[in-house]
Amino acid sequence: MRQSQISVLPETGPDRETPRRRRQKSHRAPLVERIAGWSARHRKTAVFGWLALVAIIFVVGQSISAKNVTQYDPGQSGVAEHALARLDDNGPPPAEDVLIQARGSGTFRTDPSMREATTQVVAALSRLPRTTASNIRSPLSAGGGSLVSADGRSVLVTFNVTGANEDQAVVPALNAVAAVQGRYPSLRIAEAGDASEDRAGNALLSSDFRKAESTSLPITLILLVCVFGALIAAGIPILLALTAVISAISLTSVIGLWLPTGTSTSEVVLIIGMAVGIDYTLFYLRREREERARGASTREALAVAARTSGRAIVVSGLTVMIALAGLFLTGYSVFTGIGLGTIAVVGATVIGSLTFLPALLSWLGPRADRGKIPFLGRRRTASRPSRLWSAVVRRVVRRPAAWGAVAAIAMLALAAPALGMRLGTAPYNGFPSNVPIIQTADRIQAAFPDAPSPAQVVVTGQGLHGQAMTRAVAAVQRDATTTGPIRPPVTAAFIAGGRGMIVNVPLQGNGTNASSDAALLDLRNHVLPATLGKVSGITWAVSGTTANNYDDIADLHSRTPLVLAVVAVVAFVLLLVAFRSIAIPLVSIGLNLLSVGAAFGIITLIFQDGRLQGALGYTGFGATVSWVPLFIFVFLFGMSMDYHVFILSRIRELRSRGAPTKDAIVSGIASSAGVVTSAAVIMVAVFSILATLSLVSLKMLGVGLAAAVLIDATVVRGILVPAALALLGERTWYLPRWLAWLPGRRADRDSTWPRQVADRA
């Protein structure tokens, strides 16, 4: 027997006012339900208003062509970058190398073609504008002996790109080098460097975005058709997700006028926006269809969906956004664009789920089930409790300690490799080794092993032109040796009309390894304090590739505990208010930590240890990309809350109707199994698309997110949650008296369980 639902949502036909209804109307419906009610009553306004808002945001975002705000690194690197910005100096121009290498046994001394090719490369570059090629050096130049490899089979021609738009300025040089290569097929002649690598990287990112866009939509649509069994219903989540993604990417472009946004933001926002949008819509739409299948009207079904699934969406969305906002506490520039974009897409999805979605469902009504697929339509519309999960959970609650212990041990074993996780920076920004520019850079590194990676010491102040400064630079030059951490040649040059100076100090190592880090610390802590530190009236800071990477990772290590604490406290408070229980937030946080730990262990096993390189198309570098673990933690900590809130809301709903806690656990998980499993399958499929993209950081992100969602929807949902709640029993709903002021109602039992819940579950 089904109890009718009273709601602020409209319904066609007569509606008699009874004394009981008058009493119930005196109690205001929850805010989420009132918003849904307004949207359903003004469905045309809500639907067209949402679409118009998205269109306006898109047009504004497309009209903005200004470059993003400059990103500054933390630590000394950021201090140096700020100093250069104040001097209105962009620092050293991008450096480019042209590799001329014998394919056979010839050497620069014995093979005339190598010398001829070198001459022609220099001549071709010299004919180009200085914005494309300046400061050209070759083995034929004075003092160019260091540009010949030890075995004589490889030589370098170096130059700088000084054009304002480096991506375009380097193109004539690439074309000139390719023309010389065409005339000397017996040699390998190719270019690599800062500008050419950036150009190749931007092209790859654009290709990746198109690939993610073209792959995610059809995969998602096919899975949604399988979930709903109807074309109209399957298209609703796609529509909400796409509008949220368009809004978020356009908003990120607008925000980029004031705050720094970097590369990879669009790819991450697209994938996460599709996953979140579909996830939230599934919860809402499946509950609405479920209620209609039981005989409820569209109005009643929307009321229940708003009160239950809508509430879960709000709690999950707030948790995700606040958790992602914790990334800004790191000061890490990479998190600015990705953090802003993901917060925007989650926020847009939550707003759309509360307004656009109920309005559209109210407008469509039963027509949302049109376009049914044979053999799927009738069964998918029914949406019955899962027999499989009901059987599993029933066994778990009978022996919760044994099942919970086995699952927890397995999760801890999976997380164990994360104890050895090392943070690092992927060579060449993490692009795959099959990119021609990267292959050329690898050949240069092999021909000129352990090539010194220069640190840039930015010096400002009134004492730049004094004798003390001259003696200090000379002292740094004397400290440089061919076998020590500081390598020759140490050079110094004035910049910004003499208002600043850059001292280039080559360091041992390849710029990203441990020996480079050790050399950097020696320079900062010993060499410079003993030389420049004795000059009055100046300030200095060390920047460069090695310094940037070191400062980023050091800053992450120091600020990560703060981020973890803030995210955990916020999640605890939100769940405490949502469920008026002390135990539920603690259990949810503990299980989230297990899921994230298992994801970290999988990332470490695969990427740090170099497994599945061929299958996933990446090159291992013995570490994990520094920003990936923290981003996975904050995103999953919020994202997994939707599963927990949705399942726990079902359990709490049944418990409040009088069900014993164990019965509520079994029925709640079984009745929510369909939507949770469907959402998890789609999210795993969408996140897996990231693993097919070019950047190793996106591959790590995709594998980590997909693994965590899969674990969360199976082991955590099916074993650990019911085991923990069964062990707690009635203590699950305990709330101290001094917290009785919290909003909401306790999950107290009434006498309706045998009559109502048995029929519904």
Side-chain angles (χ1 to χ4, degrees):
M1 182 175 179
R2 186 181 57 78
Q3 184 179 18
S4 63
Q5 305 290 331
I6 306 299
S7 172
V8 297
L9 292 160
E11 183 178 24
T12 55
D15 189 8
R16 295 181 179 180
E17 188 85 327
T18 65
R20 180 182 180 187
R21 171 164 288 188
R22 284 194 296 270
R23 288 194 302 272
Q24 289 179 330
K25 287 179 68 176
S26 63
H27 300 286
R28 296 189 71 187
L31 178 61
V32 173
E33 188 176 345
R34 297 203 304 272
I35 294 174
W38 183 93
S39 300
R41 289 194 304 273
H42 307 85
R43 52 199 182 195
K44 290 186 178 180
T45 302
V47 171
F48 290 117
W50 172 261
L51 295 177
L53 179 62
V54 172
I56 292 171
I57 295 173
F58 175 75
V59 170
V60 172
Q62 290 297 307
S63 65
I64 293 174
S65 58
K67 294 181 69 175
N68 288 334
V69 176
T70 304
Q71 300 186 30
Y72 294 108
D73 289 287
Q76 270 199 45
S77 298
V79 174
E81 292 162 2
H82 276 287
L84 290 173
R86 288 194 300 269
L87 294 171
D88 195 22
D89 190 284
N90 295 324
E96 291 288 302
D97 297 323
V98 179
L99 174 67
I100 303 171
Q101 190 175 64
R103 297 183 186 272
S105 58
T107 66
F108 184 69
R109 290 185 178 181
T110 62
D111 188 349
S113 64
M114 287 190 69
R115 294 192 296 275
E116 292 173 6
T118 303
T119 302
Q120 291 199 22
V121 167
V122 172
L125 293 174
S126 300
R127 288 192 293 269
L128 300 176
R130 289 188 60 79
T131 54
T132 294
S134 61
N135 302 322
I136 302 170
R137 295 181 67 245
S138 76
L140 304 176
S141 307
S146 62
L147 299 177
V148 181
S149 64
D151 61 4
R153 295 184 58 252
S154 305
V155 300
L156 292 179
V157 176
T158 66
F159 63 98
N160 296 112
V161 179
T162 59
N165 189 339
E166 300 161 7
D167 278 7
Q168 295 302 318
V170 77
V171 172
L174 291 169
N175 294 336
V177 171
V180 178
Q181 169 68 93
R183 293 194 291 270
Y184 293 91
S186 62
L187 301 175
R188 179 179 287 113
I189 304 173
E191 179 181 340
D194 298 334
S196 55
E197 288 172 16
D198 285 347
R199 177 178 175 80
N202 290 335
L204 268 178
L205 289 174
S206 298
S207 174
D208 279 350
F209 182 79
R210 292 191 297 271
K211 179 179 180 180
E213 189 177 35
S214 61
T215 306
S216 61
L217 290 178
I219 290 177
T220 302
L221 184 59
I222 291 171
L223 291 174
L224 285 172
V225 168
C226 294
V227 168
F228 289 113
L231 293 175
I232 300 297
I236 295 174
I238 295 285
L239 181 59
L240 177 62
L242 281 179
T243 53
V245 168
I246 292 171
S247 302
I249 293 177
S250 301
L251 282 172
T252 304
S253 300
V254 176
I255 294 171
L257 291 173
W258 298 279
L259 295 174
T261 56
T263 58
S264 304
T265 298
S266 297
E267 291 86 345
V268 174
V269 169
L270 172 63
I271 296 300
I272 287 180
M274 291 297 296
V276 172
I278 289 164
D279 197 43
Y280 289 173
T281 311
L282 268 177
F283 287 165
Y284 208 107
L285 186 53
R286 281 294 289 264
R287 186 61 189 260
E288 187 265 352
R289 295 179 94 216
E290 208 173 287
E291 296 301 321
R292 283 196 291 108
R294 290 183 177 127
S297 66
T298 299
R299 162 182 164 269
E300 292 173 330
L302 282 173
V304 175
R307 191 180 310 120
T308 55
S309 298
R311 178 171 174 269
I313 289 169
V314 171
V315 174
S316 172
L318 286 175
T319 308
V320 172
M321 289 188 286
I322 295 174
L324 288 169
L327 292 173
F328 301 137
L329 297 174
T330 64
Y332 192 32
S333 58
V334 173
F335 287 143
T336 306
I338 293 179
L340 287 171
T342 49
I343 288 173
V345 79
V346 173
T349 303
V350 171
I351 294 172
S353 299
L354 299 182
T355 56
F356 172 72
L357 185 57
L360 186 60
L361 293 177
S362 174
W363 200 345
L364 290 173
R367 294 191 300 272
D369 294 329
R370 288 185 177 177
K372 291 182 179 179
I373 306 301
F375 309 108
L376 285 178
R378 184 183 300 274
R379 183 167 59 89
R380 294 306 186 192
T381 304
S383 187
R384 298 184 179 90
S386 168
R387 295 181 180 179
L388 172 63
W389 285 110
S390 178
V392 171
V393 176
R394 191 172 288 111
R395 286 174 172 79
V396 171
V397 297
R398 286 175 187 164
R399 297 179 178 84
W403 282 86
V406 171
I409 291 171
M411 294 279 283
L412 290 172
L414 201 56
L419 296 174
M421 179 181 286
R422 296 183 297 275
L423 300 183
T425 302
Y428 312 120
N429 294 319
F431 288 108
S433 57
N434 60 356
V435 178
I437 292 286
I438 305 303
Q439 291 176 340
T440 300
D442 282 336
R443 292 189 180 103
I444 292 173
Q445 180 64 33
F448 299 86
D450 211 29
S453 178
Q456 285 88 43
V457 184
V458 180
V459 189
T460 58
Q462 299 298 320
L464 284 177
H465 300 278
Q467 291 297 318
M469 184 66 191
T470 303
R471 289 193 295 269
V473 172
V476 176
Q477 292 171 334
R478 287 194 298 272
D479 286 335
T481 62
T482 56
T483 58
I486 309 302
R487 302 289 176 86
V490 175
T491 60
F494 287 106
I495 59 173
R499 293 182 295 122
M501 174 184 286
I502 291 183
V503 182
N504 288 306
V505 184
L507 304 177
Q508 68 176 351
N510 63 7
T512 59
N513 57 13
S515 60
S516 294
D517 290 342
L520 172 70
L521 294 178
D522 185 66
L523 176 67
R524 283 178 169 176
N525 300 333
H526 300 102
V527 175
L528 294 180
T531 53
L532 298 184
K534 295 181 178 180
V535 180
S536 60
I538 67 167
T539 59
W540 51 268
V542 182
S543 185
T545 302
T546 302
N548 295 345
N549 294 336
Y550 179 85
D551 289 340
D552 286 342
I553 295 172
D555 189 70
L556 280 177
H557 277 302
S558 65
R559 300 199 186 190
T560 292
L562 174 63
V563 176
L564 302 186
V566 169
V567 171
V569 169
V570 168
F572 178 85
V573 171
L574 283 173
L575 290 176
L576 176 65
V577 173
F579 290 98
R580 292 177 56 87
S581 165
I582 290 289
I584 285 178
L586 294 176
V587 169
S588 296
I589 290 172
L591 297 183
N592 276 340
L593 290 175
L594 274 179
S595 296
V596 173
F600 286 177
I602 291 172
I603 289 175
T604 305
L605 275 175
I606 294 176
F607 293 97
Q608 183 169 299
D609 296 344
R611 294 180 172 87
L612 302 179
Q613 295 188 54
L616 292 174
Y618 76 99
T619 302
F621 60 101
T624 302
V625 175
S626 55
W627 63 268
V628 168
L630 188 57
F631 181 83
I632 287 178
F633 171 83
V634 297
F635 179 74
L636 285 178
F637 212 87
M639 194 64 213
S640 61
M641 286 298 173
D642 60 4
Y643 293 138
H644 289 278
V645 171
F646 189 77
I647 293 170
L648 292 170
S649 295
R650 280 290 182 98
I651 294 172
R652 186 177 186 269
E653 181 183 346
L654 298 175
R655 172 67 174 72
S656 65
R657 291 196 177 104
T661 295
K662 289 189 176 181
D663 290 339
I665 293 169
V666 175
S667 299
I669 293 178
S671 61
S672 61
V675 63
V676 172
T677 301
S678 301
V681 169
I682 292 174
M683 289 183 74
V684 169
V686 172
F687 286 145
S688 297
I689 295 172
L690 285 171
T692 68
L693 304 184
S694 300
L695 285 176
V696 67
S697 56
L698 296 183
K699 293 178 184 293
M700 291 182 183
L701 194 63
V703 171
L705 291 176
V709 169
L710 183 61
I711 292 169
D712 203 57
T714 53
V715 178
V716 174
R717 178 264 302 254
I719 299 177
L720 289 174
V721 166
L725 298 183
L727 286 172
L728 288 169
E730 297 302 317
R731 290 168 295 184
T732 300
W733 317 107
Y734 170 73
L735 183 73
R737 291 184 178 179
W738 56 274
L739 289 176
W741 55 269
L742 289 174
R745 292 181 298 173
R746 293 176 60 90
D748 293 325
R749 297 164 61 182
D750 60 31
S751 59
T752 62
W753 160 253
R755 177 169 53 87
Q756 289 182 330
V757 180
D759 292 338
R760 294 174 66 88

